[in-house]
Amino acid sequence: MATGTRYAGKVVIVTGGGRGIGAGIARAFVESGAQVVICDKDESCGRAMEQELPGSVFVLSDVTKEEDMKSLVSETIRRFGRLDCVVNNAGHHPPPERPEETSIQGFRQLLELNLLGMYTLTKLALPHLRKSRGNVINISSVVGMIGQPQAVPYVATKGAVTAMTKALALDESQYGVRVNCISPGNIWTPMWEKWAAAMPDPTAKIQEGTLAQPLGRMGQPAEVGAAAVFLASEANFCTGTELLVTGGAELGFGRKAAQYTVPTEAQ
Ligand SMILES: NC(=O)c1ccc[n+]([C@@H]2O[C@H](COP(=O)([O-])OP(=O)(O)OC[C@H]3O[C@@H](n4cnc5c(N)ncnc54)[C@H](O)[C@@H]3O)[C@@H](O)[C@H]2O)c1
């Protein structure tokens, strides 16, 4: 693997770095010369990434467990002596659920993973990021801005991630720590594949996801990785920003009413 110098000598933690978008981000940072600490709760994919990427280290850890996040940060400092960037990527999109099908407990668990997991690690990392005048990159989602049918809990967690990014950017600017988020659209990952497989017609769902972008294709994890390296290494005057990596999915007007089944009594 060719190693560049855009982020040479820097140390980056990537959560959920074992596969999908997180793996794309970990690869992009290694290619830019950084040392990468991969956090994942899935040991097999985390170890496989560690093998693939020279200069990376895998730490088996779950972002919803505060003790795991403490060990992740202390292990990073023990091995590399510094921390320059935290990429909060680990997250989950549950299968489609109408509001009446959602459970409060399920919503609470999703908040723990998609929102509080990000905050826990960030809070623990801040003393080190202040020393290095580093940065945080949260992986949000375009649906946090534009909504998505049958996904109230997911959309709420991602809207909160984007809002949290802006609030933290304000508080941390005095320490020279930048805080930004990336909002991907449809990116072809194991999560997307699993999500489509759970649909009555997976091929039609994938086709729909492909055509949702004016660019006529889904994005690749490497393209989110490129955006993350840009934010960390070159976007020195960007903080509190939401970088859309969507192939233009949010642009224009389109037929939207047909997505919903209107209950008979409301017709
Ligand atoms: N794929 C998309 O189209 C898309 C679009 C917008 C936003 N996102 C966001 O991007 C992020 C990554 O999505 P993906 O599609 O790559 O998902 P994925 O399921 O393919 O990969 C997620 C990785 O995170 C790990 N993980 C899950 N829970 C964890 C936990 N508690 N602790 C540590 N690791 C954990 C998994 O083991 C896995 O390796 C998520 O936050 C998701 O919401 C994805």
Side-chain angles (χ1 to χ4, degrees), residues 15-23 39-42 45 61-65 69 88-93 113-114 118 139-143 154 158 182-192 218 221:
T15 70
R19 66 168 194 231
I21 290 174
C39 146
D40 209 291
K41 66 169 190 176
D42 180 324
C45 67
S61 42
D62 183 332
V63 299
T64 64
K65 296 185 176 150
M69 292 302 95
N88 287 303
N89 162 77
H92 179 62
H93 192 317
L113 171 58
N114 286 3
M118 291 194 181
I139 304 302
S140 186
S141 169
V142 68
V143 304
Y154 180 77
K158 292 301 186 177
I182 295 174
S183 284
N186 288 309
I187 309 293
W188 185 246
T189 65
M191 181 163 81
W192 221 111
M218 289 199 205

